Amino acid sequence: MKDLTVGTLIAVFEEIFGRGLFWAMVGLAAVVTLGYVYVLIRDRKISWHKFLLAQLSMPVGAVLAVWFVLVMTHSELANIGGPVDLIVLLGVAAGGAVGAAILVYTMQSLLWPPAAERS
Amino acid sequence: MTKSIKNPTRRQLFGLAASAGVAAALGAHASASTPVPTKARIVIIGAGAGGTALANRLVRRLEGAEITLLDPRVQHLYQPGLTLVAAGLKPADYVLSQTGDWLPDGVTLIPEKAAAIDPEAKTVATESGQSLAYDFLVVAPGLVLDHDAIEGFSLDMVGQNGIGALYAGPEYAARTWQAASKFTEEGGVGLFTRPETEMKCAGAPLKHTFLIDDIAKRAGNGGKIDVQYAAPQTSLFGVPIVAEKVRMLFGDRGITSHMQHQLQGIDADRRRARFSTPDGSVELDYDYIHVIPPQRAPEVVRQSGLSWADKWTDQGWVECDMASLRHLRYPEIWALGDVAGVPKGKTAASVKWQVPVVEDGLVAAITGTDPTQTYNGYTSCPMITQIGRAMLVEFDYNDNLVPSFPGIIAPLEELWISWLMKEVALKATYNAMLRGRA
């Protein structure tokens, strides 16, 4: 690598996932993040009941994220060859877990706001 | 307009991001000065990786320059992808795009070959007889595959009777896979060769060897194959430490090597290949053979007197300074890419590092200042050792390993992350390079 730029980074992601899928994922992530921020501001507190369900979704998110990356890169778990590979894989899993938790928490909060939860 | 600059902390800063499988990075860019006004006539011979990337950078760097590219090829080839096509991992069109799609506004593409270069009169003649006067010339026509040098071989044979030749282009790479896949299913002796001359990505013959071996073994046919690698050199790779690693991998995989074996010809009917060796002519049987012919500079380069007179005399690479890539006798000429007569640098990764050097030298020549950038021979080879794993080997003129991500991605370790880079990240980086943005 010589000069590594944001433009290169975006081009790389587009190449990996395809332009449409990549930007759709970016849009989805942005929407979920905005939704999460919205419900936090709206509710002004964390619902630990919803948080529990969100936590339960984390392993599912982790597995799905790893599966997705392996499929998109034509590789398999047996290809993990060194510490950096494991770190990358765990990073992918962690990203999937956190993403799933945020998604599930946000969806619950949007569908069942605190008032509905109390009733 | 932006201008890329060197960033000494790049590796540390961006290693982790890149190891996420996407060559992630942040910008190492700084604003450059306003475009240099000039009326210079610049001719670039070749609209491959080097010529296209340079043209894109020059149109941003110069204002008023007359930039002309010469290249008859309608299609642009992403050559690093040929290995993947020849292993059945990508379709042939994976490496194809349109030359015109990469060229910026403000340059003139003449879809012809350069027929003659007169460095004294500073003109280039095209095949149709057009004469182009230049103030500065960049010679980047790529190289020529000398298939005729292999007796009994012709490109028509590729894909049949166990014959492959992936370098010849996407169609031939796909046909190579037809022959190779048959071998991975039926077994037999697989004979993988390389030429004595300088060549494009010297790691490619090894990648093909490793991949076909791996694919056969994954199919459960490991017991039916006998993989052999024959090369005219005395070692398996030009960088000693990498050669030793490859030797060990060959040992682990049960791949036999025949060093100092130069392919002279094949007898397709008998499936025998003839090699010259220090001990005389030797014949080896094969069921699948991968032919890589000698590689030379295009004839126009030699005829124009631009080649080295005392080096690579059978190959004709352009005589140029290995740091500046500037011609040693004609200071208004630079060599770029495959045709450059430097010890290393026939890969897209090399081109990526060479283009800013030529750009810098050319702009400095226009402005009458001293150039500031030099090329250290950097080249990169994501050496695929099996589907899903590769070694990210990077080195320079001195055979030093120069890893982009030291301490994170070990260059001699077979890693998944290096595979990801080759399989999914490199083409995007290459495309960004073509646009002059990487």
Side-chain angles (χ1 to χ4, degrees), chain A residues 1-5 9 11-12 16 73-75 79-80 84-85 88, chain B residues 4 10 19 22 25-26 29 352-353 378 387 389 404 416-417 419 423 428:
Chain A
M1 303 287 171
K2 188 171 173 62
D3 300 317
L4 301 170
T5 66
L9 173 62
V12 167
I16 292 171
T73 59
H74 308 102
S75 45
N79 296 135
I80 300 302
V84 65
D85 290 347
V88 170
Chain B
S4 299
R10 168 183 51 84
S19 65
V22 292
L26 293 174
H29 278 206
K352 189 165 178 289
W353 284 52
Y378 174 90
I387 294 175
R389 278 194 196 172
S404 287
W416 175 55
I417 184 69
W419 161 262
E423 221 249 1

PDB file of all heavy atoms in Angstrom, chain A residues 1-5 9 11-12 16 73-75 79-80 84-85 88, chain B residues 4 10 19 22 25-26 29 352-353 378 387 389 404 416-417 419 423 428:
ATOM      1  N   MET A   1       0.842  -1.189   0.000  1.00  0.00           N
ATOM      2  CA  MET A   1       0.000   0.000   0.000  1.00  0.00           C
ATOM      3  C   MET A   1       0.883   1.247   0.000  1.00  0.00           C
ATOM      4  O   MET A   1       1.906   1.273   0.634  1.00  0.00           O
ATOM      5  CB  MET A   1      -0.885   0.014   1.252  1.00  0.00           C
ATOM      6  CG  MET A   1      -1.756  -1.215   1.401  1.00  0.00           C
ATOM      7  SD  MET A   1      -3.115  -1.212   0.226  1.00  0.00           S
ATOM      8  CE  MET A   1      -3.736  -2.867   0.485  1.00  0.00           C
ATOM      9  N   LYS A   2       0.448   2.258  -0.705  1.00  0.00           N
ATOM     10  CA  LYS A   2       1.185   3.515  -0.663  1.00  0.00           C
ATOM     11  C   LYS A   2       0.311   4.576   0.000  1.00  0.00           C
ATOM     12  O   LYS A   2       0.383   4.776   1.192  1.00  0.00           O
ATOM     13  CB  LYS A   2       1.615   3.940  -2.064  1.00  0.00           C
ATOM     14  CG  LYS A   2       2.546   5.139  -2.053  1.00  0.00           C
ATOM     15  CD  LYS A   2       3.104   5.383  -3.444  1.00  0.00           C
ATOM     16  CE  LYS A   2       3.901   6.674  -3.521  1.00  0.00           C
ATOM     17  NZ  LYS A   2       5.067   6.698  -2.650  1.00  0.00           N
ATOM     18  N   ASP A   3      -0.509   5.223  -0.782  1.00  0.00           N
ATOM     19  CA  ASP A   3      -1.378   6.232  -0.196  1.00  0.00           C
ATOM     20  C   ASP A   3      -2.746   5.621   0.078  1.00  0.00           C
ATOM     21  O   ASP A   3      -3.395   5.122  -0.834  1.00  0.00           O
ATOM     22  CB  ASP A   3      -1.524   7.414  -1.157  1.00  0.00           C
ATOM     23  CG  ASP A   3      -0.183   8.041  -1.434  1.00  0.00           C
ATOM     24  OD1 ASP A   3       0.586   8.212  -0.478  1.00  0.00           O
ATOM     25  OD2 ASP A   3       0.095   8.334  -2.610  1.00  0.00           O
ATOM     26  N   LEU A   4      -3.162   5.666   1.307  1.00  0.00           N
ATOM     27  CA  LEU A   4      -4.446   5.093   1.675  1.00  0.00           C
ATOM     28  C   LEU A   4      -5.401   6.232   1.996  1.00  0.00           C
ATOM     29  O   LEU A   4      -5.130   7.059   2.847  1.00  0.00           O
ATOM     30  CB  LEU A   4      -4.282   4.177   2.889  1.00  0.00           C
ATOM     31  CG  LEU A   4      -3.314   3.020   2.662  1.00  0.00           C
ATOM     32  CD1 LEU A   4      -3.023   2.306   3.958  1.00  0.00           C
ATOM     33  CD2 LEU A   4      -3.870   2.056   1.643  1.00  0.00           C
ATOM     34  N   THR A   5      -6.509   6.268   1.304  1.00  0.00           N
ATOM     35  CA  THR A   5      -7.398   7.406   1.430  1.00  0.00           C
ATOM     36  C   THR A   5      -8.820   6.962   1.777  1.00  0.00           C
ATOM     37  O   THR A   5      -9.170   5.783   1.649  1.00  0.00           O
ATOM     38  CB  THR A   5      -7.465   8.184   0.108  1.00  0.00           C
ATOM     39  OG1 THR A   5      -8.095   7.345  -0.868  1.00  0.00           O
ATOM     40  CG2 THR A   5      -6.076   8.564  -0.377  1.00  0.00           C
ATOM     41  N   LEU A   9     -10.904   3.647   0.671  1.00  0.00           N
ATOM     42  CA  LEU A   9     -11.675   2.840   1.628  1.00  0.00           C
ATOM     43  C   LEU A   9     -13.094   2.602   1.124  1.00  0.00           C
ATOM     44  O   LEU A   9     -13.595   1.477   1.118  1.00  0.00           O
ATOM     45  CB  LEU A   9     -11.698   3.564   2.978  1.00  0.00           C
ATOM     46  CG  LEU A   9     -12.585   2.972   4.066  1.00  0.00           C
ATOM     47  CD1 LEU A   9     -12.117   1.584   4.422  1.00  0.00           C
ATOM     48  CD2 LEU A   9     -12.580   3.866   5.290  1.00  0.00           C
ATOM     49  N   ALA A  11     -14.140   2.850  -1.974  1.00  0.00           N
ATOM     50  CA  ALA A  11     -14.072   2.029  -3.181  1.00  0.00           C
ATOM     51  C   ALA A  11     -13.894   0.558  -2.828  1.00  0.00           C
ATOM     52  O   ALA A  11     -14.479  -0.328  -3.460  1.00  0.00           O
ATOM     53  CB  ALA A  11     -12.924   2.500  -4.063  1.00  0.00           C
ATOM     54  N   VAL A  12     -13.101   0.297  -1.802  1.00  0.00           N
ATOM     55  CA  VAL A  12     -12.869  -1.089  -1.374  1.00  0.00           C
ATOM     56  C   VAL A  12     -14.171  -1.713  -0.881  1.00  0.00           C
ATOM     57  O   VAL A  12     -14.534  -2.831  -1.262  1.00  0.00           O
ATOM     58  CB  VAL A  12     -11.791  -1.132  -0.266  1.00  0.00           C
ATOM     59  CG1 VAL A  12     -11.761  -2.497   0.406  1.00  0.00           C
ATOM     60  CG2 VAL A  12     -10.429  -0.804  -0.847  1.00  0.00           C
ATOM     61  N   ILE A  16     -16.237  -4.916  -2.374  1.00  0.00           N
ATOM     62  CA  ILE A  16     -16.495  -6.125  -1.588  1.00  0.00           C
ATOM     63  C   ILE A  16     -17.978  -6.505  -1.644  1.00  0.00           C
ATOM     64  O   ILE A  16     -18.334  -7.651  -1.893  1.00  0.00           O
ATOM     65  CB  ILE A  16     -16.064  -5.916  -0.123  1.00  0.00           C
ATOM     66  CG1 ILE A  16     -14.543  -5.793  -0.041  1.00  0.00           C
ATOM     67  CG2 ILE A  16     -16.545  -7.075   0.747  1.00  0.00           C
ATOM     68  CD1 ILE A  16     -14.047  -5.375   1.325  1.00  0.00           C
ATOM     69  N   THR A  73     -16.550 -13.325   1.257  1.00  0.00           N
ATOM     70  CA  THR A  73     -15.131 -13.416   0.914  1.00  0.00           C
ATOM     71  C   THR A  73     -14.712 -14.831   0.498  1.00  0.00           C
ATOM     72  O   THR A  73     -13.527 -15.134   0.432  1.00  0.00           O
ATOM     73  CB  THR A  73     -14.254 -12.962   2.098  1.00  0.00           C
ATOM     74  OG1 THR A  73     -14.537 -13.794   3.223  1.00  0.00           O
ATOM     75  CG2 THR A  73     -14.532 -11.523   2.469  1.00  0.00           C
ATOM     76  N   HIS A  74     -15.677 -15.668   0.228  1.00  0.00           N
ATOM     77  CA  HIS A  74     -15.394 -17.036  -0.228  1.00  0.00           C
ATOM     78  C   HIS A  74     -14.398 -17.739   0.687  1.00  0.00           C
ATOM     79  O   HIS A  74     -13.465 -18.390   0.227  1.00  0.00           O
ATOM     80  CB  HIS A  74     -14.851 -17.028  -1.659  1.00  0.00           C
ATOM     81  CG  HIS A  74     -15.701 -16.268  -2.616  1.00  0.00           C
ATOM     82  ND1 HIS A  74     -15.391 -15.021  -3.039  1.00  0.00           N
ATOM     83  CD2 HIS A  74     -16.875 -16.569  -3.208  1.00  0.00           C
ATOM     84  CE1 HIS A  74     -16.331 -14.566  -3.875  1.00  0.00           C
ATOM     85  NE2 HIS A  74     -17.243 -15.493  -3.985  1.00  0.00           N
ATOM     86  N   SER A  75     -14.565 -17.588   1.954  1.00  0.00           N
ATOM     87  CA  SER A  75     -13.637 -18.258   2.866  1.00  0.00           C
ATOM     88  C   SER A  75     -14.398 -18.975   3.967  1.00  0.00           C
ATOM     89  O   SER A  75     -15.640 -18.960   3.992  1.00  0.00           O
ATOM     90  CB  SER A  75     -12.620 -17.262   3.432  1.00  0.00           C
ATOM     91  OG  SER A  75     -13.228 -16.081   3.844  1.00  0.00           O
ATOM     92  N   ASN A  79      -9.811 -21.165   7.598  1.00  0.00           N
ATOM     93  CA  ASN A  79      -8.770 -20.337   6.988  1.00  0.00           C
ATOM     94  C   ASN A  79      -8.085 -19.410   7.983  1.00  0.00           C
ATOM     95  O   ASN A  79      -7.090 -18.761   7.639  1.00  0.00           O
ATOM     96  CB  ASN A  79      -9.342 -19.499   5.844  1.00  0.00           C
ATOM     97  CG  ASN A  79      -9.848 -20.343   4.692  1.00  0.00           C
ATOM     98  OD1 ASN A  79     -10.914 -20.111   4.158  1.00  0.00           O
ATOM     99  ND2 ASN A  79      -9.088 -21.368   4.323  1.00  0.00           N
ATOM    100  N   ILE A  80      -8.624 -19.323   9.181  1.00  0.00           N
ATOM    101  CA  ILE A  80      -7.991 -18.468  10.184  1.00  0.00           C
ATOM    102  C   ILE A  80      -6.580 -19.003  10.424  1.00  0.00           C
ATOM    103  O   ILE A  80      -6.383 -20.150  10.806  1.00  0.00           O
ATOM    104  CB  ILE A  80      -8.803 -18.476  11.493  1.00  0.00           C
ATOM    105  CG1 ILE A  80     -10.211 -17.959  11.219  1.00  0.00           C
ATOM    106  CG2 ILE A  80      -8.114 -17.668  12.575  1.00  0.00           C
ATOM    107  CD1 ILE A  80     -10.268 -16.576  10.624  1.00  0.00           C
ATOM    108  N   VAL A  84      -3.801 -12.231  14.035  1.00  0.00           N
ATOM    109  CA  VAL A  84      -4.494 -11.086  13.440  1.00  0.00           C
ATOM    110  C   VAL A  84      -5.817 -11.527  12.813  1.00  0.00           C
ATOM    111  O   VAL A  84      -6.811 -10.794  12.852  1.00  0.00           O
ATOM    112  CB  VAL A  84      -3.590 -10.366  12.409  1.00  0.00           C
ATOM    113  CG1 VAL A  84      -3.269 -11.255  11.220  1.00  0.00           C
ATOM    114  CG2 VAL A  84      -4.249  -9.080  11.923  1.00  0.00           C
ATOM    115  N   ASP A  85      -5.819 -12.740  12.257  1.00  0.00           N
ATOM    116  CA  ASP A  85      -7.065 -13.252  11.678  1.00  0.00           C
ATOM    117  C   ASP A  85      -8.134 -13.410  12.756  1.00  0.00           C
ATOM    118  O   ASP A  85      -9.309 -13.072  12.562  1.00  0.00           O
ATOM    119  CB  ASP A  85      -6.823 -14.611  11.012  1.00  0.00           C
ATOM    120  CG  ASP A  85      -5.980 -14.497   9.750  1.00  0.00           C
ATOM    121  OD1 ASP A  85      -5.813 -13.365   9.270  1.00  0.00           O
ATOM    122  OD2 ASP A  85      -5.493 -15.536   9.268  1.00  0.00           O
ATOM    123  N   VAL A  88      -9.436 -10.049  13.799  1.00  0.00           N
ATOM    124  CA  VAL A  88     -10.364  -9.520  12.789  1.00  0.00           C
ATOM    125  C   VAL A  88     -11.711 -10.222  12.909  1.00  0.00           C
ATOM    126  O   VAL A  88     -12.776  -9.590  12.906  1.00  0.00           O
ATOM    127  CB  VAL A  88      -9.782  -9.689  11.370  1.00  0.00           C
ATOM    128  CG1 VAL A  88     -10.825  -9.370  10.311  1.00  0.00           C
ATOM    129  CG2 VAL A  88      -8.574  -8.797  11.187  1.00  0.00           C
TER     130      VAL A  88
ATOM    131  N   SER B   4      -0.944  13.480  -3.295  1.00  0.00           N
ATOM    132  CA  SER B   4      -0.580  12.526  -2.263  1.00  0.00           C
ATOM    133  C   SER B   4       0.826  12.807  -1.767  1.00  0.00           C
ATOM    134  O   SER B   4       1.704  13.160  -2.527  1.00  0.00           O
ATOM    135  CB  SER B   4      -0.639  11.113  -2.831  1.00  0.00           C
ATOM    136  OG  SER B   4      -1.942  10.860  -3.239  1.00  0.00           O
ATOM    137  N   ARG B  10       2.123   5.981   8.376  1.00  0.00           N
ATOM    138  CA  ARG B  10       0.972   5.325   7.752  1.00  0.00           C
ATOM    139  C   ARG B  10       0.766   3.911   8.250  1.00  0.00           C
ATOM    140  O   ARG B  10      -0.342   3.508   8.605  1.00  0.00           O
ATOM    141  CB  ARG B  10       1.175   5.323   6.243  1.00  0.00           C
ATOM    142  CG  ARG B  10       0.229   4.443   5.478  1.00  0.00           C
ATOM    143  CD  ARG B  10       0.590   4.468   4.006  1.00  0.00           C
ATOM    144  NE  ARG B  10       2.007   4.193   3.803  1.00  0.00           N
ATOM    145  CZ  ARG B  10       2.506   2.978   3.742  1.00  0.00           C
ATOM    146  NH1 ARG B  10       1.728   1.947   3.933  1.00  0.00           N
ATOM    147  NH2 ARG B  10       3.796   2.790   3.530  1.00  0.00           N
ATOM    148  N   SER B  19      -6.350  -4.456   8.406  1.00  0.00           N
ATOM    149  CA  SER B  19      -6.460  -5.858   8.753  1.00  0.00           C
ATOM    150  C   SER B  19      -7.904  -6.260   8.948  1.00  0.00           C
ATOM    151  O   SER B  19      -8.206  -7.422   9.115  1.00  0.00           O
ATOM    152  CB  SER B  19      -5.637  -6.158  10.002  1.00  0.00           C
ATOM    153  OG  SER B  19      -6.181  -5.482  11.096  1.00  0.00           O
ATOM    154  N   VAL B  22     -10.408  -4.938   4.647  1.00  0.00           N
ATOM    155  CA  VAL B  22     -10.869  -4.004   3.637  1.00  0.00           C
ATOM    156  C   VAL B  22      -9.824  -2.944   3.333  1.00  0.00           C
ATOM    157  O   VAL B  22     -10.143  -1.922   2.726  1.00  0.00           O
ATOM    158  CB  VAL B  22     -12.167  -3.322   4.090  1.00  0.00           C
ATOM    159  CG1 VAL B  22     -13.291  -4.317   4.120  1.00  0.00           C
ATOM    160  CG2 VAL B  22     -11.989  -2.675   5.444  1.00  0.00           C
ATOM    161  N   ALA B  25      -8.451   2.735   5.603  1.00  0.00           N
ATOM    162  CA  ALA B  25      -7.448   3.762   5.739  1.00  0.00           C
ATOM    163  C   ALA B  25      -8.073   5.124   5.913  1.00  0.00           C
ATOM    164  O   ALA B  25      -9.235   5.330   5.623  1.00  0.00           O
ATOM    165  CB  ALA B  25      -6.592   3.778   4.496  1.00  0.00           C
ATOM    166  N   LEU B  26      -7.291   6.004   6.386  1.00  0.00           N
ATOM    167  CA  LEU B  26      -7.687   7.396   6.396  1.00  0.00           C
ATOM    168  C   LEU B  26      -6.774   8.135   5.449  1.00  0.00           C
ATOM    169  O   LEU B  26      -5.772   7.632   4.978  1.00  0.00           O
ATOM    170  CB  LEU B  26      -7.571   7.969   7.803  1.00  0.00           C
ATOM    171  CG  LEU B  26      -8.568   7.359   8.795  1.00  0.00           C
ATOM    172  CD1 LEU B  26      -8.281   7.877  10.188  1.00  0.00           C
ATOM    173  CD2 LEU B  26      -9.992   7.670   8.402  1.00  0.00           C
ATOM    174  N   HIS B  29      -3.519  12.700   2.714  1.00  0.00           N
ATOM    175  CA  HIS B  29      -3.507  13.717   1.670  1.00  0.00           C
ATOM    176  C   HIS B  29      -3.286  15.102   2.257  1.00  0.00           C
ATOM    177  O   HIS B  29      -3.657  15.397   3.365  1.00  0.00           O
ATOM    178  CB  HIS B  29      -4.843  13.706   0.920  1.00  0.00           C
ATOM    179  CG  HIS B  29      -4.873  12.645  -0.133  1.00  0.00           C
ATOM    180  ND1 HIS B  29      -5.658  12.721  -1.242  1.00  0.00           N
ATOM    181  CD2 HIS B  29      -4.195  11.488  -0.245  1.00  0.00           C
ATOM    182  CE1 HIS B  29      -5.485  11.662  -1.993  1.00  0.00           C
ATOM    183  NE2 HIS B  29      -4.610  10.897  -1.389  1.00  0.00           N
ATOM    184  N   LYS B 352       1.817   1.471  -8.808  1.00  0.00           N
ATOM    185  CA  LYS B 352       1.198   2.405  -7.863  1.00  0.00           C
ATOM    186  C   LYS B 352       2.256   3.300  -7.205  1.00  0.00           C
ATOM    187  O   LYS B 352       2.000   4.466  -6.932  1.00  0.00           O
ATOM    188  CB  LYS B 352       0.454   1.592  -6.803  1.00  0.00           C
ATOM    189  CG  LYS B 352      -0.422   2.393  -5.875  1.00  0.00           C
ATOM    190  CD  LYS B 352      -1.359   1.441  -5.144  1.00  0.00           C
ATOM    191  CE  LYS B 352      -2.252   2.153  -4.158  1.00  0.00           C
ATOM    192  NZ  LYS B 352      -1.555   2.648  -2.991  1.00  0.00           N
ATOM    193  N   TRP B 353       3.431   2.737  -6.989  1.00  0.00           N
ATOM    194  CA  TRP B 353       4.503   3.513  -6.374  1.00  0.00           C
ATOM    195  C   TRP B 353       5.320   4.282  -7.411  1.00  0.00           C
ATOM    196  O   TRP B 353       5.945   5.285  -7.098  1.00  0.00           O
ATOM    197  CB  TRP B 353       5.418   2.583  -5.556  1.00  0.00           C
ATOM    198  CG  TRP B 353       4.784   2.175  -4.258  1.00  0.00           C
ATOM    199  CD1 TRP B 353       3.543   1.628  -4.080  1.00  0.00           C
ATOM    200  CD2 TRP B 353       5.355   2.284  -2.964  1.00  0.00           C
ATOM    201  NE1 TRP B 353       3.319   1.398  -2.756  1.00  0.00           N
ATOM    202  CE2 TRP B 353       4.416   1.776  -2.048  1.00  0.00           C
ATOM    203  CE3 TRP B 353       6.587   2.749  -2.490  1.00  0.00           C
ATOM    204  CZ2 TRP B 353       4.652   1.739  -0.681  1.00  0.00           C
ATOM    205  CZ3 TRP B 353       6.830   2.699  -1.120  1.00  0.00           C
ATOM    206  CH2 TRP B 353       5.872   2.206  -0.234  1.00  0.00           C
ATOM    207  N   TYR B 378       9.822  -0.861  -4.579  1.00  0.00           N
ATOM    208  CA  TYR B 378       8.729  -1.521  -3.869  1.00  0.00           C
ATOM    209  C   TYR B 378       7.867  -2.346  -4.820  1.00  0.00           C
ATOM    210  O   TYR B 378       7.487  -1.902  -5.905  1.00  0.00           O
ATOM    211  CB  TYR B 378       7.823  -0.486  -3.184  1.00  0.00           C
ATOM    212  CG  TYR B 378       6.590  -1.108  -2.551  1.00  0.00           C
ATOM    213  CD1 TYR B 378       6.616  -1.552  -1.237  1.00  0.00           C
ATOM    214  CD2 TYR B 378       5.421  -1.288  -3.285  1.00  0.00           C
ATOM    215  CE1 TYR B 378       5.492  -2.134  -0.667  1.00  0.00           C
ATOM    216  CE2 TYR B 378       4.298  -1.870  -2.724  1.00  0.00           C
ATOM    217  CZ  TYR B 378       4.342  -2.293  -1.414  1.00  0.00           C
ATOM    218  OH  TYR B 378       3.238  -2.886  -0.859  1.00  0.00           O
ATOM    219  N   ILE B 387      -6.860 -21.581  -1.146  1.00  0.00           N
ATOM    220  CA  ILE B 387      -8.077 -20.769  -1.133  1.00  0.00           C
ATOM    221  C   ILE B 387      -8.352 -20.372   0.320  1.00  0.00           C
ATOM    222  O   ILE B 387      -8.478 -21.229   1.193  1.00  0.00           O
ATOM    223  CB  ILE B 387      -9.271 -21.555  -1.710  1.00  0.00           C
ATOM    224  CG1 ILE B 387      -9.041 -21.832  -3.191  1.00  0.00           C
ATOM    225  CG2 ILE B 387     -10.568 -20.784  -1.519  1.00  0.00           C
ATOM    226  CD1 ILE B 387     -10.105 -22.695  -3.832  1.00  0.00           C
ATOM    227  N   ARG B 389      -6.256 -18.353   2.105  1.00  0.00           N
ATOM    228  CA  ARG B 389      -5.051 -17.897   2.803  1.00  0.00           C
ATOM    229  C   ARG B 389      -4.002 -17.401   1.819  1.00  0.00           C
ATOM    230  O   ARG B 389      -3.876 -17.929   0.709  1.00  0.00           O
ATOM    231  CB  ARG B 389      -4.422 -19.016   3.633  1.00  0.00           C
ATOM    232  CG  ARG B 389      -5.063 -19.225   4.973  1.00  0.00           C
ATOM    233  CD  ARG B 389      -4.146 -20.089   5.817  1.00  0.00           C
ATOM    234  NE  ARG B 389      -4.849 -20.637   6.955  1.00  0.00           N
ATOM    235  CZ  ARG B 389      -4.324 -21.540   7.773  1.00  0.00           C
ATOM    236  NH1 ARG B 389      -3.106 -22.003   7.547  1.00  0.00           N
ATOM    237  NH2 ARG B 389      -5.002 -21.973   8.794  1.00  0.00           N
ATOM    238  N   SER B 404       3.713  -3.430   4.907  1.00  0.00           N
ATOM    239  CA  SER B 404       2.888  -2.238   5.123  1.00  0.00           C
ATOM    240  C   SER B 404       2.306  -2.220   6.529  1.00  0.00           C
ATOM    241  O   SER B 404       1.961  -1.166   7.039  1.00  0.00           O
ATOM    242  CB  SER B 404       1.732  -2.213   4.114  1.00  0.00           C
ATOM    243  OG  SER B 404       2.208  -1.899   2.837  1.00  0.00           O
ATOM    244  N   TRP B 416      -5.501 -15.399   6.622  1.00  0.00           N
ATOM    245  CA  TRP B 416      -6.805 -15.136   6.030  1.00  0.00           C
ATOM    246  C   TRP B 416      -6.906 -13.670   5.597  1.00  0.00           C
ATOM    247  O   TRP B 416      -7.416 -13.348   4.537  1.00  0.00           O
ATOM    248  CB  TRP B 416      -7.891 -15.471   7.062  1.00  0.00           C
ATOM    249  CG  TRP B 416      -9.293 -15.159   6.663  1.00  0.00           C
ATOM    250  CD1 TRP B 416      -9.942 -15.588   5.550  1.00  0.00           C
ATOM    251  CD2 TRP B 416     -10.233 -14.366   7.393  1.00  0.00           C
ATOM    252  NE1 TRP B 416     -11.231 -15.107   5.539  1.00  0.00           N
ATOM    253  CE2 TRP B 416     -11.439 -14.362   6.661  1.00  0.00           C
ATOM    254  CE3 TRP B 416     -10.182 -13.680   8.608  1.00  0.00           C
ATOM    255  CZ2 TRP B 416     -12.586 -13.689   7.096  1.00  0.00           C
ATOM    256  CZ3 TRP B 416     -11.324 -13.003   9.044  1.00  0.00           C
ATOM    257  CH2 TRP B 416     -12.499 -13.016   8.278  1.00  0.00           C
ATOM    258  N   ILE B 417      -6.373 -12.787   6.442  1.00  0.00           N
ATOM    259  CA  ILE B 417      -6.456 -11.357   6.149  1.00  0.00           C
ATOM    260  C   ILE B 417      -5.754 -11.018   4.829  1.00  0.00           C
ATOM    261  O   ILE B 417      -6.217 -10.170   4.052  1.00  0.00           O
ATOM    262  CB  ILE B 417      -5.859 -10.532   7.328  1.00  0.00           C
ATOM    263  CG1 ILE B 417      -6.027  -9.036   7.091  1.00  0.00           C
ATOM    264  CG2 ILE B 417      -4.414 -10.823   7.552  1.00  0.00           C
ATOM    265  CD1 ILE B 417      -7.431  -8.596   7.173  1.00  0.00           C
ATOM    266  N   TRP B 419      -5.458 -13.019   2.327  1.00  0.00           N
ATOM    267  CA  TRP B 419      -6.367 -13.525   1.289  1.00  0.00           C
ATOM    268  C   TRP B 419      -7.467 -12.500   1.018  1.00  0.00           C
ATOM    269  O   TRP B 419      -7.802 -12.213  -0.129  1.00  0.00           O
ATOM    270  CB  TRP B 419      -6.973 -14.856   1.742  1.00  0.00           C
ATOM    271  CG  TRP B 419      -8.225 -15.236   1.001  1.00  0.00           C
ATOM    272  CD1 TRP B 419      -9.513 -15.044   1.421  1.00  0.00           C
ATOM    273  CD2 TRP B 419      -8.322 -15.848  -0.286  1.00  0.00           C
ATOM    274  NE1 TRP B 419     -10.404 -15.510   0.485  1.00  0.00           N
ATOM    275  CE2 TRP B 419      -9.695 -16.008  -0.583  1.00  0.00           C
ATOM    276  CE3 TRP B 419      -7.377 -16.284  -1.209  1.00  0.00           C
ATOM    277  CZ2 TRP B 419     -10.153 -16.578  -1.757  1.00  0.00           C
ATOM    278  CZ3 TRP B 419      -7.832 -16.845  -2.391  1.00  0.00           C
ATOM    279  CH2 TRP B 419      -9.195 -16.992  -2.659  1.00  0.00           C
ATOM    280  N   GLU B 423      -8.297 -10.999  -2.555  1.00  0.00           N
ATOM    281  CA  GLU B 423      -9.546 -11.409  -3.187  1.00  0.00           C
ATOM    282  C   GLU B 423     -10.546 -10.275  -3.325  1.00  0.00           C
ATOM    283  O   GLU B 423     -11.258 -10.196  -4.312  1.00  0.00           O
ATOM    284  CB  GLU B 423     -10.161 -12.556  -2.381  1.00  0.00           C
ATOM    285  CG  GLU B 423     -10.753 -13.640  -3.227  1.00  0.00           C
ATOM    286  CD  GLU B 423     -12.260 -13.686  -3.143  1.00  0.00           C
ATOM    287  OE1 GLU B 423     -12.862 -12.857  -2.444  1.00  0.00           O
ATOM    288  OE2 GLU B 423     -12.837 -14.552  -3.790  1.00  0.00           O
ATOM    289  N   ALA B 428     -10.250  -2.934  -5.829  1.00  0.00           N
ATOM    290  CA  ALA B 428     -10.756  -1.601  -5.517  1.00  0.00           C
ATOM    291  C   ALA B 428      -9.607  -0.616  -5.372  1.00  0.00           C
ATOM    292  O   ALA B 428      -9.676   0.521  -5.843  1.00  0.00           O
ATOM    293  CB  ALA B 428     -11.574  -1.652  -4.237  1.00  0.00           C
TER     294      ALA B 428
END
